Amino acid sequence: LINPIYNADGNERVSIRNRGSQFGPIGGMGQRHNAQDLDLMDRAVRAIGIALLRWQGMQALRASEEQFRRVFDDAATGIAVTSLDCRFLDANAAYCALLGYTLVELRQLHAEDLTLAEDVPEMRRLTHELLNGTRGSYVVERRNRTKSGSFVWLRRSVSVKRDPHGMPVGLIGIVQDISQQKSAEQQVM
């Protein structure tokens, strides 16, 4: 529809073709265009404008996603995302470091694999309450098993990850190592 043409001085100009008829250069000095020519040029300019707006929107979305990813990856606090059945999907470096697992290893695990057996029933109950909407989020302090087999005390804040329609698609856990605090509490007792 839009083809380049060249002036005598070699500079590129643009012409519009419609059904095999060329309407001539856009913006030519002293040229008269009929209503069909003007309508076609108007539609071409609008299409270019729409394409430019879409491109700008995509660039803004990409920049926003990159910024969020950097915040997620660089956060000093551990963050993990699980599926609705509590299988790990993603985790930042701080989360992996707390538990001693790589992200690839975590993705092979279920949150219950890191939870003491005595804490599993409460974890299931709280997760069920999150998913059925009776609870918006929860915060618990519990020991978690690390890759080395030792335990670390974590304060875990959990909420539901939702899709654009508000439907639950996963869980987001933010954890803080409170082992030193728990150790100090034990010494006081």
Side-chain angles (χ1 to χ4, degrees):
L1 198 180
I2 300 176
N3 300 310
I5 62 169
Y6 300 93
N7 292 335
D9 62 4
N11 292 323
E12 186 176 325
R13 308 258 328 252
V14 176
S15 68
I16 298 177
R17 290 189 181 273
N18 185 16
R19 296 185 204 110
S21 301
Q22 184 168 331
F23 295 112
I26 296 176
M29 296 295 292
Q31 290 188 346
R32 293 193 175 147
H33 298 284
N34 64 31
Q36 184 181 11
D37 293 349
L38 294 173
D39 181 56
L40 183 58
M41 285 185 262
D42 183 57
R43 285 188 281 144
V45 168
R46 287 176 193 253
I48 291 168
I50 290 169
L52 181 59
L53 287 174
R54 283 186 185 159
W55 180 81
Q56 289 172 333
M58 296 284 287
Q59 293 296 86
L61 178 61
R62 191 172 293 122
S64 176
E65 288 172 346
E66 287 174 13
Q67 181 182 11
F68 174 78
R69 189 70 207 186
R70 282 193 306 274
V71 167
F72 178 84
D73 289 340
D74 297 342
T77 302
I79 305 171
V81 179
T82 70
S83 62
L84 293 175
D85 67 347
C86 298
R87 297 212 167 270
F88 288 96
L89 300 174
D90 201 0
N92 68 357
Y95 192 93
C96 292
L98 277 172
L99 297 172
Y101 289 95
T102 66
L103 179 57
V104 172
E105 292 169 327
L106 273 177
R107 286 181 174 157
Q108 304 301 313
L109 299 175
H110 188 282
E112 289 181 8
D113 296 332
L114 308 177
T115 305
L116 293 176
E118 64 199 50
D119 294 333
V120 169
E122 180 191 21
M123 184 179 115
R124 287 180 181 170
R125 178 184 59 78
L126 292 169
T127 301
H128 179 73
E129 290 175 6
L130 280 177
L131 296 177
N132 72 19
T134 58
R135 179 182 293 272
S137 64
Y138 69 83
V139 178
V140 293
E141 294 180 356
R142 69 166 53 118
R143 292 173 292 163
N144 279 77
R145 185 175 292 111
T146 67
K147 183 178 177 179
S148 69
S150 63
F151 293 93
V152 60
W153 274 98
L154 298 176
R155 178 175 294 120
R156 179 180 304 273
S157 301
V158 181
S159 60
V160 177
K161 179 181 176 192
R162 298 185 181 280
D163 70 12
H165 305 289
M167 298 302 297
V169 294
L171 300 171
I172 301 169
I174 299 175
V175 298
Q176 179 183 9
D177 184 350
I178 57 169
S179 298
Q180 289 181 346
Q181 175 186 335
K182 289 294 186 179
S183 179
E185 288 174 5
Q186 292 284 333
Q187 290 177 359
V188 171
M189 294 181 162

